Amino acid sequence: MPSLNGDDYLSASQQLSNSLSSLSSSRHQSSQIAKTYRQAAQLFLTRRLPEALSTIEPIITPEPPSQTQDNDDTPVGLAPIASASKTTRTKVWSFYLTFLNAVVELGPEEGKHAFGSTQWKELVSKTRSGSVWAEVVQHGYGGNEVAVDPDVVINLATLLLTHAPDQRLTQQRLETYLSALSNPTFDVAGHMMAAGNANGARMRRTHSASGTNTPRDLHTHLKLLELYTLHCLPRNGEWDYAREFIMMSEVLDDERKEAFLHALYGLKEEQENATKREEELKERQREELEARRQREEEESRLAEQRRLE
């Protein structure tokens, strides 16, 4: 075994010291993120929504470059949550999306009372427009859409399906993500490195994380397919494409395909019945208006006749 000279020893010692320092800093930051998340969750549960937002915002919002410390593990342009573990990332982003859902459901009067008119409208707008998806991707995953943790994608899609009046953006985002799941060899780490993120390896999605190698992976993929084929595509009138997508899916076995198609047909029948009922209601309203108009004309004619007599 070769011996180290003085310079080599100092260099190796410095590298070890830096590694230990970085590890310690990373653990400290993870601990702080977890603590912040728990505080925000407690505030949310007690309906102190503005305080919950101000508590969670520092870990989901990138700091200005001038405020980023040299020994900070978080790359410039990313929020602190980006360098947390997958479990913590998922918890924090899922909490934030649950928070936004609650804010929208407050309604205008209560929302403006809690946050002020301007801030409440901004929070509602990012939810209904779908811009929150881009916010999560950019701040939490360096702009790499396919690196987003699966449960976060599920919660994003659910939020938009609940509140966005237009589901074309939801469809586009889900198609991008499902395409990536079908091609799990996509080198996310390489993409992140090329984008200048020195910690790109942290974002790497392996085959097991993207595919369906485990029951958990399969469950997640099935949930994504459910949101896409049974909720998103029907909202955009893409019934035929939804049926074709289900039939061609390599994830669904014959039994699941049958279940998905049965659910799809049920949804379409329900929509058709609702449309039919709406048309029947409008027709009854037209008939009632016409009958009322005729009665008023008859009453006017009789009144005029009595006046002349």
Side-chain angles (χ1 to χ4, degrees):
M1 180 176 179
S3 60
L4 297 176
N5 60 35
D7 290 341
D8 290 339
Y9 177 82
L10 289 174
S11 177
S13 177
Q14 184 63 43
Q15 289 177 3
L16 177 60
S17 176
N18 290 340
S19 297
L20 291 173
S21 176
S22 177
L23 180 60
S24 176
S25 174
S26 178
R27 287 177 175 173
H28 175 71
Q29 185 177 41
S30 296
S31 176
Q32 287 298 112
I33 289 174
K35 181 180 178 181
T36 300
Y37 160 72
R38 289 192 296 270
Q39 291 173 340
Q42 184 60 38
L43 290 167
F44 176 80
L45 290 173
T46 55
R47 302 300 293 174
R48 295 161 64 183
L49 300 185
E51 292 95 328
L53 178 61
S54 62
T55 300
I56 204 68
E57 274 187 326
I59 64 174
I60 63 173
T61 306
E63 293 182 349
S66 60
Q67 297 182 18
T68 302
Q69 302 298 320
D70 293 337
N71 61 350
D72 192 346
D73 287 337
T74 305
V76 175
L78 291 179
I81 188 59
S83 58
S85 67
K86 176 180 178 179
T87 300
T88 301
R89 285 198 310 266
T90 300
K91 285 182 178 180
V92 169
W93 284 122
S94 297
F95 165 78
Y96 181 57
L97 299 174
T98 300
F99 167 83
L100 289 177
N101 178 69
V103 169
V104 176
E105 291 184 343
L106 285 176
E109 293 303 319
E110 191 176 352
K112 293 174 183 178
H113 177 74
F115 293 94
S117 178
T118 300
Q119 186 177 26
W120 183 78
K121 287 180 179 179
E122 289 175 352
L123 293 170
V124 171
S125 177
K126 73 165 63 178
T127 302
R128 290 179 174 163
S129 69
S131 64
V132 62
W133 201 313
E135 176 185 331
V136 172
V137 173
Q138 188 62 46
H139 295 176
Y141 303 88
N144 186 3
E145 196 156 345
V146 300
V148 182
D149 297 300
D151 286 337
V152 177
V153 174
I154 289 172
N155 287 324
L156 279 166
T158 301
L159 181 68
L160 267 62
L161 284 165
T162 303
H163 296 295
D166 188 334
Q167 295 302 322
R168 286 176 293 181
L169 175 63
T170 313
Q171 179 176 342
Q172 176 189 340
R173 298 285 194 180
L174 284 175
E175 285 173 350
T176 298
Y177 199 78
L178 287 169
S179 177
L181 289 181
S182 300
N183 298 277
T185 56
F186 181 83
D187 187 5
V188 173
H191 174 86
M192 296 295 285
M193 291 292 286
N197 181 3
N199 288 339
R202 294 178 181 271
M203 301 292 187
R204 187 179 183 91
R205 291 171 56 83
T206 63
H207 181 87
S208 62
S210 301
T212 55
N213 286 351
T214 69
R216 173 62 180 170
D217 296 332
L218 177 60
H219 174 78
T220 299
H221 206 153
L222 289 175
K223 183 61 178 178
L224 287 166
L225 288 175
E226 177 190 340
L227 289 171
Y228 180 63
T229 59
L230 300 183
H231 297 277
C232 183
L233 291 177
R235 290 277 293 276
N236 290 333
E238 300 273 7
W239 296 98
D240 291 340
Y241 180 61
R243 180 181 60 81
E244 294 173 7
F245 193 93
I246 293 170
M247 292 297 297
M248 297 296 292
S249 173
E250 296 180 357
V251 176
L252 301 174
D253 56 24
D254 290 342
E255 183 178 351
R256 289 192 176 96
K257 285 180 180 178
E258 183 178 352
F260 268 60
L261 289 173
H262 180 74
L264 183 67
Y265 294 148
L267 288 169
K268 187 173 184 181
E269 183 178 8
E270 182 180 330
Q271 185 192 64
E272 290 174 345
N273 289 337
T275 300
K276 183 179 180 181
R277 288 194 297 270
E278 185 178 354
E279 291 175 349
E280 291 174 348
L281 177 61
K282 289 180 179 179
E283 180 61 26
R284 286 198 300 271
Q285 290 174 339
R286 284 194 293 268
E287 291 174 353
E288 290 173 359
L289 287 173
E290 178 62 20
R292 183 184 304 169
R293 184 187 66 79
Q294 290 178 357
R295 285 196 302 271
E296 290 175 350
E297 289 182 351
E298 180 64 15
E299 290 173 356
S300 177
R301 185 185 67 79
L302 291 175
E304 179 66 15
Q305 184 176 358
R306 285 195 295 271
R307 186 183 69 79
L308 294 175
E309 291 175 354

